[in-house]
Amino acid sequence: WRMEGLALGEGDIVDRVNELRKWRMENMVGKADHADDDEVRDDTDKENEKRVKWYYWRLNAFLEDAEEDGPDKLVFDDLPFFDPRKQKESEFYLVDPAGQRGVNCRFGMRGVSAYNHMDMSRNMIAVLDGERRYIIAHPDQCSKMALYPINHPSGRHSSFDWSNQAEWDIHPEFRDAKVSEMVLQAGDVLYLPTAWFHAIVNL
């Protein structure tokens, strides 16, 4: 919002936060490189075939593209703690500044989830708004994660939906997996080391 010269009003803090939230949705989400905006059946409405809108947007920003005006520059200017060029702001969050691989922004409604998977790089996860439930597990739990075969295109992912307990009987080893659970709120930051498993649900 600083780049766009948006002047927040003189109202109370709630109004200011709502104004900034609206700006983020219009400007960052509006520049997303991937977006889903569709209607799905509301499973909570058992009597009617009610359909509701849902959304998920993704905006990936890369440092090499952040020199010129555009979505990449906008993200790194708005999130200086993930910008290795700004050492004072980022030194706590970036373990290896030279290995910074970009900032992946995700915007999604309640219920949007990411199945369990692991990444071959460190993740520093910051929640800007809303709440996200994380279920994480150490790499030593790999044999209990029911992963796809190593040569499968989704080889880093569990092969079933953890939230569907009916599928647990197919993978009994999963019942013995040791995991930790947390809910991240706006302003929270989670450091996730390389190869740690994580499943995510927007709350």
Side-chain angles (χ1 to χ4, degrees):
W1 56 270
R2 292 183 297 273
M3 286 178 61
E4 301 293 330
L6 178 65
L8 294 180
E10 294 300 320
D12 61 27
I13 189 64
V14 173
D15 290 338
R16 294 186 183 195
V17 168
N18 287 336
E19 194 170 349
L20 180 56
R21 181 176 295 157
K22 179 182 178 184
W23 180 89
R24 271 207 172 109
M25 288 297 290
E26 291 175 350
N27 288 271
M28 295 184 84
V29 172
K31 295 176 172 64
D33 58 9
H34 172 83
D36 292 326
D37 185 0
D38 204 351
E39 288 190 351
V40 294
R41 188 168 61 83
D42 183 0
D43 289 329
T44 63
D45 187 348
K46 303 300 182 185
E47 296 182 4
N48 306 302
E49 286 296 313
K50 179 182 174 184
R51 301 187 72 80
V52 295
K53 295 289 285 184
W54 69 279
Y55 66 88
Y56 167 77
W57 289 285
R58 179 187 75 205
L59 172 61
N60 294 344
F62 300 98
L63 196 60
E64 59 268 25
D65 299 322
E67 296 297 331
E68 300 180 4
D69 286 344
D72 302 85
K73 187 175 190 304
L74 175 68
V75 169
F76 280 100
D77 284 351
D78 203 42
L79 307 175
F81 45 89
F82 286 153
D83 188 340
R85 300 169 301 178
K86 300 167 184 171
Q87 185 176 359
K88 184 176 180 181
E89 291 94 338
S90 67
E91 62 183 356
F92 178 79
Y93 298 96
L94 297 182
V95 178
D96 178 17
Q100 208 270 15
R101 295 173 57 185
V103 178
N104 301 323
C105 301
R106 303 288 188 266
F107 305 85
M109 66 178 287
R110 180 178 297 168
V112 171
S113 62
Y115 285 1
N116 177 57
H117 66 285
M118 58 88 168
D119 299 317
M120 294 310 297
S121 61
R122 303 180 183 99
N123 285 305
M124 190 68 81
I125 300 153
V127 175
L128 302 181
D129 195 11
E131 296 181 336
R132 302 184 91 191
R133 178 188 183 206
Y134 271 78
I135 302 172
I136 65 174
H138 190 279
D140 65 10
Q141 299 300 299
C142 183
S143 63
K144 301 171 184 174
M145 294 288 110
L147 300 179
Y148 285 105
I150 195 166
N151 58 347
H152 190 279
S154 297
R156 297 181 295 111
H157 295 72
S158 285
S159 59
F160 76 106
D161 179 3
W162 288 9
S163 65
N164 184 358
Q165 197 162 352
E167 295 187 29
W168 287 22
D169 291 337
I170 304 172
H171 302 283
E173 69 278 14
F174 177 67
R175 294 182 182 275
D176 296 323
K178 296 178 181 178
V179 302
S180 297
E181 180 181 8
M182 67 211 66
V183 173
L184 301 183
Q185 299 177 320
D188 289 343
V189 178
L190 171 66
Y191 172 64
L192 199 65
T194 302
W196 273 62
F197 295 98
H198 49 293
I200 313 157
V201 182
N202 284 358
L203 302 179

